[in-house]
Amino acid sequence: MSDLVPTTQEQPTGEMETQIKSPDAHPDAPPDYNSHFVAGPPGPAVPPPAGYPGGLPMGYYGPQLPSAFPLYQPTGSIHPIQYQPGKYPGPSQLVPVPWMPRPSPMPNCPLGLEYLIQLDNIHVLQHFEPIEQMTNFETNNRYDIKNSADQMVYMVNEDTDDFTRNAYRTLRPFVLRVIDFMGREIMTMQRPFRCTCCCFCCPSARQELEVQCPPGATIGFVAEHWNLCRAVYSIQNEKKENVLRVRGPCSTYGCGSDSVFEVQSLDGVSSIGSIIRKWNGLLSNMGDADHFDIHFPLDLDVKMKAMIFGACFLIDFMYFERSPPQRSSR
């Protein structure tokens, strides 16, 4: 009996103490460890991509990509990566928004209108807002202004509160802010509220648009004139003196054809330019996504170009702005 073999090996008391650990107060907590990560050198500076002279304005991204944003910059590349919802281009594929090169300041030209001096036609493209069709909630209008080379010239954003937009709909007073590629507000258009419950031939019921460039300095007005069968406007200078007139078609709701508003001299003999609302097929009837082409002489006074540009928006709100259908409550 004295030759029994022990079933467990006897260990020194010190080693037994090292193997017995006190219970952890937080058994689910991760173990403590020291990170051996060492930060590397900073990456190369990323210049703005082609098509963004001077970089995008702060708070603005490309109007064609309202939800696009630059992501991380991998090592070894010199261009940022941009993604558009629903599209995932490769790392070397860019989605730039081309802007018209910034012209040099010119004498006797309001700041920001130097672009119009070089142009004889511009395109006004309204953004399509699906939320209006789904929720019947009127949103602020947004427009992209482009030249014939499909380069961005301006962005136009409506600045009207929610109550006014949804209470007055197409008759609402509004403020439109014209923004250049640097994010500067170079022009402001204001439409006051006019009561339409009066007789339509009453002067107090006629629509009017004031154009300021720079904001706060009025350069002219667009005033509606009463006519039995067609849209007629006068383009006025800052003293409300008539300079040009705009004569619309007898029917502005033509289906399947463009609506042409002619810009004429006061006597109606000379044709100065035109504001054409393009027919976009079914999209023209489904929602607000209007497309206007504006034509004027290259050597026309730049302030009158800005006034014709402003007349386009008053025409859009009066004849082509469609409110979302109201659901009848039962």
Side-chain angles (χ1 to χ4, degrees):
M1 297 297 294
S2 61
D3 297 334
L4 292 177
V5 179
T7 57
T8 58
Q9 183 178 0
E10 297 182 0
Q11 298 180 356
T13 306
E15 294 182 4
M16 292 295 292
E17 291 177 355
T18 58
Q19 293 182 1
I20 299 176
K21 298 181 180 179
S22 60
D24 192 355
H26 303 281
D28 296 332
D32 296 333
Y33 65 94
N34 296 326
S35 174
H36 299 283
F37 172 76
V38 179
V46 182
Y52 297 90
L56 280 174
M58 183 175 297
Y60 287 90
Y61 296 103
Q64 291 180 332
L65 310 176
S67 300
F69 53 92
L71 298 180
Y72 67 90
Q73 173 64 39
T75 305
S77 176
I78 60 173
H79 297 290
I81 298 177
Q82 293 183 343
Y83 290 95
Q84 183 179 8
K87 298 181 180 180
Y88 302 94
S92 61
Q93 181 180 357
L94 294 177
V95 191
V97 178
W99 281 80
M100 180 178 175
R102 181 184 179 186
S104 303
M106 301 180 183
N108 301 323
C109 177
L111 182 64
L113 295 188
E114 302 90 351
Y115 300 92
L116 297 181
I117 292 182
Q118 304 179 10
L119 300 174
D120 59 359
N121 68 88
I122 52 178
H123 305 279
V124 179
L125 307 173
Q126 183 178 3
H127 288 216
F128 177 69
E129 303 291 351
I131 190 174
E132 292 187 356
Q133 305 301 317
M134 295 185 294
T135 64
N136 299 327
F137 183 82
E138 185 75 33
T139 60
N140 278 319
N141 287 0
R142 297 180 298 157
Y143 305 84
D144 292 345
I145 314 303
K146 297 185 177 183
N147 58 16
S148 57
D150 203 34
Q151 295 174 324
M152 287 289 300
V153 182
Y154 301 120
M155 296 181 293
V156 179
N157 300 319
E158 181 186 358
D159 187 6
T160 309
D161 62 88
D162 294 341
F163 173 79
T164 301
R165 286 197 315 272
N166 290 274
Y168 296 97
R169 298 288 175 168
T170 60
L171 299 176
R172 64 184 182 265
F174 61 76
V175 175
L176 296 178
R177 306 190 186 278
V178 183
I179 311 297
D180 67 359
F181 81 100
M182 295 186 64
R184 301 175 303 180
E185 182 180 351
I186 55 98
M187 188 187 308
T188 303
M189 307 177 193
Q190 297 182 357
R191 175 200 189 186
F193 175 75
R194 293 299 173 90
C195 180
T196 57
C197 60
C198 303
C199 176
F200 53 85
C201 60
C202 179
S204 62
R206 299 174 190 172
Q207 299 297 319
E208 184 180 77
L209 180 78
E210 179 183 359
V211 179
Q212 302 175 358
C213 185
T218 302
I219 63 172
F221 299 85
V222 180
E224 179 192 18
H225 288 272
W226 179 81
N227 191 280
L228 186 60
C229 64
R230 66 175 69 243
V232 178
Y233 302 88
S234 64
I235 295 179
Q236 306 170 340
N237 59 17
E238 66 276 9
K239 299 178 181 179
K240 289 199 170 185
E241 299 171 343
N242 295 337
V243 180
L244 299 172
R245 77 170 187 173
V246 179
R247 188 171 182 265
C250 290
S251 176
T252 58
Y253 301 97
C255 180
S257 61
D258 299 341
S259 300
V260 181
F261 295 77
E262 297 181 3
V263 181
Q264 303 173 338
S265 58
L266 291 179
D267 55 12
V269 176
S270 302
S271 178
I272 306 301
S274 62
I275 302 173
I276 305 174
R277 191 258 188 172
K278 306 294 290 184
W279 172 255
N280 291 331
L282 294 178
L283 192 60
S284 298
N285 290 329
M286 291 175 57
D288 291 331
D290 294 319
H291 175 193
F292 290 88
D293 285 350
I294 303 177
H295 300 267
F296 35 63
L298 185 63
D299 58 351
L300 184 66
D301 180 71
V302 67
K303 291 185 179 180
M304 288 299 103
K305 289 184 178 182
M307 294 306 304
I308 297 174
F309 174 55
C312 173
F313 295 96
L314 183 59
I315 291 172
D316 181 35
F317 272 85
M318 290 187 61
Y319 296 103
F320 304 109
E321 176 76 4
R322 292 179 175 86
S323 297
Q326 300 297 307
R327 296 177 181 176
S328 58
S329 59
R330 295 181 180 179

